[in-house]
Amino acid sequence: MSKNHSMKEAILGLYLKERPNIISEALGFEVHHIALEQKHGAYHVDIKAVDNKRRVPVLFELQITKADKSYLKRVQKMLVTVSEGVVVWVAHSFDEEILNELQLWLNQNQPAYVDFYAISLNDVTIPILQQLNDMYKLDIFDNLHLLDEIESMLSIKLESKRIPKSHCGHLNIEPAPLNYEIDQDLKRGLLSHLRKTIPQFLNFHYDKKMNQFDKVINLGAGKYGIAYRCSAIDRRGKAFVELYFDQCLRDEYEAFKSHQELLRKEIHPNLTFAKRRIGVYFPPLETYEQTFGRIAEIFRNMIKTFSPYFYGGKPIELLDPLDNREEIISHQLVLLEERDFETEDSYRIRLEELDELCYRQ
């Protein structure tokens, strides 16, 4: 979970997801199917991957600070709840006290079919993560290459192997093909398309809870109380992308609504404003892939248009070219540090029931 609006751990996870060779080289075996913030059994992990050769999961706990007792307890809990697999604790550094305590605990408690690695980060990693964290949120993905310059980013400080060489796990290493007749798979297909076509919007990189009775994907827009919602086909038979405002942000919705024509030029000529929603709704196209493409095109324009207000602190008044911009910008810069920006972590739980609630209003 981010603290003080810091995304450094999330950025590190995203980088490792996009560069699986970094993990593979450090561990000495290939990892596949890397996903962020996954649930494994009853435990939530920062990264989940697969060791295809041994057919076991690879679970990561990420910590960009020095290893401490609180994270040690979390890792110990992870280890005792995993029946088979690899557990990896990545931290900035490990002191001798932590390593000794960890080794003693492993000797007494490590499960028979679980390998463990404690891995430290190259010191150069932290300032670059901070540099990325300070960037405008839509610029982070395109600048992940800054981390590529680090030699030996990950270094093993402790390893304890218990998986027998002859062991073959029970994990299905290849995900089943998507069946677009099933709502969950249709949403996964749409999210995968958005992730590939608009990777700069980091919330697309996190899998969403796929309720079998829900046809809509909810994503944090970057500010508390505002969410993107989209569907390839909803209960009304429509495909759509919309920005939804909570009741407490009605004034912000009305402020954007007062610039309807300008927003239609920037986003889409069929952009509508109703019930605290700003969106585009259309009949699904001939194929799901075509519908995904149309949604991505609209989504890209919405993200480009709205993100400066939600991530960058730009005042809505600047939509009007006749406003006194210098005075507004000066005022907003004073307030910027007090603005409440919401991360994907904090938004995901709050939106699980949004699909059912919003249409009742």
Side-chain angles (χ1 to χ4, degrees), residues 119-177:
I119 294 180
S120 68
L121 290 168
N122 188 317
D123 288 340
V124 181
T125 307
I126 305 303
I128 297 178
L129 288 174
Q130 184 63 57
Q131 180 183 354
L132 291 166
N133 184 77
D134 292 340
M135 291 181 180
Y136 178 53
K137 295 299 182 288
L138 297 186
D139 290 338
I140 292 174
F141 186 86
D142 290 334
N143 284 283
L144 289 177
H145 63 85
L146 296 174
L147 291 165
D148 292 338
E149 304 302 318
I150 302 174
E151 294 185 7
S152 302
M153 173 185 285
L154 306 178
S155 300
I156 295 177
K157 296 302 178 183
L158 175 66
E159 60 181 296
S160 181
K161 299 181 180 181
R162 295 290 178 86
I163 301 178
K165 292 183 179 180
S166 60
H167 179 72
C168 183
H170 302 87
L171 190 68
N172 291 325
I173 59 176
E174 294 295 337

Side-chain angles (χ1 to χ4, degrees), residues 26-269:
L27 296 178
F29 60 87
E30 290 190 7
V31 295
H32 303 267
H33 309 303
I34 299 176
L36 302 177
E37 292 188 8
Q38 297 291 296
K39 187 174 182 180
H40 184 78
Y43 199 88
H44 287 84
V45 298
D46 293 321
I47 298 177
K48 183 176 181 179
V50 175
D51 176 353
N52 278 5
K53 186 175 181 180
R54 293 184 291 181
R55 300 173 64 91
V56 296
V58 185
L59 312 175
F60 289 77
E61 181 70 36
L62 301 182
Q63 180 183 4
I64 60 167
T65 54
K66 180 180 177 180
D68 56 35
K69 295 295 182 69
S70 63
Y71 271 84
L72 175 61
K73 291 180 180 179
R74 290 167 64 177
V75 171
Q76 290 171 339
K77 180 180 178 181
M78 187 190 304
L79 281 162
V80 298
T81 57
V82 174
S83 59
E84 62 175 12
V86 180
V87 174
V88 183
W89 180 9
V90 178
H92 179 203
S93 61
F94 294 83
D95 61 27
E96 289 300 318
E97 180 183 355
I98 285 285
L99 290 176
N100 291 337
E101 183 175 349
L102 183 55
Q103 183 65 75
L104 180 62
W105 186 92
L106 289 169
N107 292 341
Q108 299 173 351
N109 300 280
Q110 186 175 356
Y113 294 95
V114 177
D115 286 352
F116 172 77
Y117 296 83
I119 294 180
S120 68
L121 290 168
N122 188 317
D123 288 340
V124 181
T125 307
I126 305 303
I128 297 178
L129 288 174
Q130 184 63 57
Q131 180 183 354
L132 291 166
N133 184 77
D134 292 340
M135 291 181 180
Y136 178 53
K137 295 299 182 288
L138 297 186
D139 290 338
I140 292 174
F141 186 86
D142 290 334
N143 284 283
L144 289 177
H145 63 85
L146 296 174
L147 291 165
D148 292 338
E149 304 302 318
I150 302 174
E151 294 185 7
S152 302
M153 173 185 285
L154 306 178
S155 300
I156 295 177
K157 296 302 178 183
L158 175 66
E159 60 181 296
S160 181
K161 299 181 180 181
R162 295 290 178 86
I163 301 178
K165 292 183 179 180
S166 60
H167 179 72
C168 183
H170 302 87
L171 190 68
N172 291 325
I173 59 176
E174 294 295 337
L178 295 177
N179 178 1
Y180 288 159
E181 299 305 313
I182 301 175
D183 289 342
Q184 299 98 309
D185 281 4
L186 184 58
K187 288 185 288 185
R188 289 189 181 97
L190 173 56
L191 185 59
S192 177
H193 183 88
L194 293 171
R195 185 177 297 152
K196 292 175 182 176
T197 54
I198 319 174
Q200 295 80 11
F201 191 65
L202 303 188
N203 288 353
F204 288 146
H205 291 273
Y206 300 90
D207 289 339
K208 311 301 170 187
K209 182 179 180 180
M210 298 301 180
N211 189 309
Q212 62 177 327
F213 303 111
D214 183 3
K215 296 178 179 292
V216 178
I217 298 174
N218 298 295
L219 304 109
K223 181 175 181 179
Y224 187 84
I226 303 177
Y228 285 114
R229 306 175 73 249
C230 65
S231 177
I233 180 168
D234 66 4
R235 297 187 184 94
R236 304 161 297 180
K238 295 285 188 180
F240 73 89
V241 184
E242 68 180 15
L243 191 63
Y244 173 84
F245 294 76
D246 282 355
Q247 177 66 40
C248 62
L249 294 176
R250 179 179 288 276
D251 288 347
E252 292 202 25
Y253 164 74
E254 293 294 341
F256 281 116
K257 186 179 179 180
S258 67
H259 299 282
Q260 293 186 39
E261 294 307 315
L262 181 58
L263 288 173
R264 287 190 180 105
K265 291 179 181 179
E266 296 291 330
I267 298 171
H268 194 278

Side-chain angles (χ1 to χ4, degrees), residues 324-340:
N324 185 342
R325 299 191 175 197
E326 291 185 1
E327 179 180 346
I328 293 172
I329 291 175
S330 177
H331 175 67
Q332 288 294 324
L333 286 176
V334 174
L335 300 178
L336 182 57
E337 292 187 357
E338 301 177 3
R339 294 176 68 92
D340 185 13

Side-chain angles (χ1 to χ4, degrees), residues 138 193-194 196-200 204 228 241 266-267 293-307:
L138 297 186
H193 183 88
L194 293 171
K196 292 175 182 176
T197 54
I198 319 174
Q200 295 80 11
F204 288 146
Y228 285 114
V241 184
E266 296 291 330
I267 298 171
R294 177 69 60 81
I295 289 173
E297 178 184 344
I298 298 167
F299 227 137
R300 183 182 292 105
N301 292 339
M302 293 185 77
I303 290 169
K304 180 180 178 181
T305 301
F306 290 116
S307 290

